[in-house]
Amino acid sequence: MFVGPVDRSVALSAMLTAAIRRSLSTAPLHAFDAPVAGSGKSKLVDIATLIANGRLAAVIAQGRSEEELEKRLGAMLLAGEQVVAIDNCESPLGGDFLCQMLTQQVLRMRVLGHSEVPELPTAALVTATGNNLALVGDMTRRAILCRLDPNCERPELRKFSSDPVATLRADRPKHLIAALTVL
């Protein structure tokens, strides 16, 4: 599943970072890439989100343009989301707003339909998933990448002996305590 040990480390980093993201001044984008759909990218994001807040990741699409992504990211920050999951990226991922979101503690963004420009704290874990995900521009130095490869043509047909999402839902406090203990 994980291509190498670095990829396993990025997945662990996402889980640990999700648990304490609000206490960190900044955190990199955690990106999950695979050659085919059904490889487990979104499952890893769900696991990190479950540890952090007890629910599955609320995902957003990348959109057709950088401006569209900026509006979606701003809405997630306005909502106070703990994890921002950009799911199924089909275009190269980058852009000024996303880069600023990863390296600044506070941003200002115009609220759609209003002249207001509130301060938005950026204390959310930001993740991205995609098949053959490409990071561009400054994003290449503001992200860490986990590569998965199921080594099969139809990974969605695989059978597993356990379900990590069900395990986490059954006893989230134990896993959150373990994450905090590791840290």
Side-chain angles (χ1 to χ4, degrees):
M1 180 166 178
F2 294 105
V3 171
V6 169
D7 305 299
R8 186 180 305 270
S9 296
V10 172
L12 179 60
S13 172
M15 294 171 208
L16 297 176
T17 302
I20 62 161
R21 176 59 186 96
R22 303 231 186 227
S23 68
L24 302 173
S25 57
T26 62
L29 173 101
H30 286 71
F32 299 91
D33 170 54
V36 294
S39 301
K41 302 174 299 291
S42 295
K43 180 80 73 178
L44 287 170
V45 173
D46 279 339
I47 289 168
T49 307
L50 276 165
I51 290 170
N53 62 25
R55 60 188 178 98
L56 297 176
V59 301
I60 60 171
Q62 183 179 12
R64 289 177 169 53
S65 68
E66 186 178 325
E67 294 79 22
E68 196 171 327
L69 178 59
E70 180 177 329
K71 291 173 188 173
R72 292 171 188 202
L73 292 170
M76 296 294 274
L77 291 177
L78 276 171
E81 287 292 336
Q82 201 168 348
V83 177
V84 174
I86 308 166
D87 197 41
N88 293 323
C89 295
E90 294 184 354
S91 300
L93 184 63
D96 294 338
F97 189 83
L98 181 55
C99 285
Q100 290 170 344
M101 207 173 141
L102 297 168
T103 56
Q104 301 300 314
Q105 294 180 29
V106 178
L107 294 177
R108 287 200 177 269
M109 182 179 173
R110 183 173 171 267
V111 178
L112 293 174
H114 301 307
S115 296
E116 302 168 20
V117 187
E119 274 193 4
L120 302 173
T122 59
L125 171 67
V126 183
T127 67
T129 64
N131 297 327
N132 302 308
L133 181 64
L135 303 174
V136 295
D138 277 352
M139 187 57 56
T140 59
R141 63 184 189 85
R142 298 175 192 216
I144 53 178
L145 183 62
C146 172
R147 294 190 188 279
L148 304 173
D149 190 344
N151 295 314
C152 65
E153 197 171 308
R154 302 277 315 270
E156 70 276 8
L157 300 177
R158 295 176 295 171
K159 301 287 185 214
F160 296 94
S161 61
S162 65
D163 178 4
V165 169
T167 301
L168 275 167
R169 282 187 163 155
D171 198 1
R172 175 184 169 254
K174 178 176 96 176
H175 299 282
L176 179 57
I177 290 167
L180 296 173
T181 301
V182 167
L183 290 163

